[in-house]
Amino acid sequence: MKLRKVTAASAAVFALALTATACGGDDSGNSGSSSSGGGEKIKIGIKYDQPGLGLKEPGGDFSGFDVDVATYVAKELGYEPDQIEWIETKSAERENALSRGDVKLIAATYSITDERKQKVDFAGPYLLAHQDLLVKADSDISEATDLNDKKLCSVTGSTSAQNVKKDFAPKAQLSERGGYSECLSALQTGQVDALTTDDSILAGYAAQEQYKGKFKLAGLKLSNENYGIGVKKGDTETLNKVNKALEKMVSDGSWQKAVDENFGPANYKNEEAPKIGQLVQ
């Protein structure tokens, strides 16, 4: 094999190119400068601990409705599943993760609110959830007012249980736990009478194999929670592409399929797919 001689000048040019590549970086949440595939990766923020929505499996795989939606969107943006880098994004860090460029997108039960829209842009909404109650399958609790003198569980720091006590059941006894799994265990053993948060989250937990048939959703609509995909503020190009991808996901049936696969075992009565683009301007 004939080797090409590298001159000092060409070596200098090569070194300069490497330097430019190393310093050029970007804040798009991608490992390279391209915004659509081409061998690059896209970083997407999700929850790691919400069954049915965003869950990191023991073997390292990821599952859930948010994961399915984000995977579909990434595909439309030009990224294959193996080009996605899933980043755990806790609720309190979502806005910072986008503004710093740690991630390109966030699909993590991210409710669209006026306050959040001051800091990030939202594509979607892609799911309309409601605050609800999860109770034992044989429970006679059917209304929020039935929780008076009952024990109601939610996670520490959540406002869901306080909202129920304030607006519906002032005599409810609030019981906070460190996580939803702890609330489920308390509900199963009778330490509490109900668990409250978004119905999509409740359905995801109830759909787990070990809980099938043990719990039911009360079917209440105590609030409206429109989930959107977070995009860095001002990134209109990506926002428009994500909205277009979501519209396609709904129209080709992939959206409903993802709902059925992730929430179906809990008999989750989902709302129709929201109109993409509403509430996000």
Side-chain angles (χ1 to χ4, degrees), residues 91-260:
S91 296
E93 279 298 306
R94 289 178 296 202
E95 287 82 16
N96 291 333
L98 283 169
S99 65
R100 288 193 304 256
D102 296 343
V103 294
K104 184 76 169 178
L105 310 171
I106 290 181
T109 58
Y110 205 178
S111 295
I112 300 169
T113 67
D114 289 338
E115 181 181 0
R116 289 169 177 164
K117 284 191 289 184
Q118 302 303 311
K119 301 176 181 178
V120 302
D121 287 334
F122 284 100
Y126 63 90
L127 183 71
L128 173 57
H130 305 283
Q131 184 181 344
D132 200 357
L133 304 176
L134 189 70
V135 296
K136 281 189 174 182
D138 59 356
S139 174
D140 58 0
I141 294 174
S142 60
E143 300 291 342
T145 52
D146 295 335
L147 290 169
N148 280 309
D149 299 318
K150 301 286 188 181
K151 294 180 180 179
L152 176 63
C153 192
S154 192
V155 298
T156 303
S158 169
T159 60
S160 298
Q162 286 87 345
N163 290 341
V164 170
K165 185 176 178 70
K166 175 178 176 289
D167 298 330
F168 303 100
K171 295 183 180 179
Q173 302 170 34
L174 303 187
S175 176
E176 293 187 332
R177 298 289 197 279
Y180 292 115
S181 294
E182 295 175 41
C183 277
L184 276 171
S185 297
L187 181 59
Q188 186 173 10
T189 58
Q191 298 175 57
V192 299
D193 301 292
L195 162 60
T196 187
T197 188
D198 295 358
D199 53 8
S200 58
I201 297 175
L202 295 174
Y205 277 98
Q208 294 179 95
E209 189 65 36
Q210 67 267 36
Y211 294 130
K212 285 183 179 179
K214 296 181 179 180
F215 304 117
K216 65 181 180 181
L217 291 166
L220 308 182
K221 298 180 179 180
L222 305 180
S223 71
N224 292 330
E225 306 295 336
N226 287 279
Y227 293 168
I229 293 182
V231 177
K232 187 175 182 178
K233 191 71 176 176
D235 188 355
T236 305
E237 180 181 0
T238 298
L239 182 70
N240 292 336
K241 288 180 179 179
V242 174
N243 274 331
K244 185 176 180 181
L246 290 173
E247 289 174 349
K248 182 178 178 181
M249 185 178 189
V250 172
S251 65
D252 69 12
S254 299
W255 182 88
Q256 188 61 53
K257 180 181 178 182
V259 169
D260 294 341

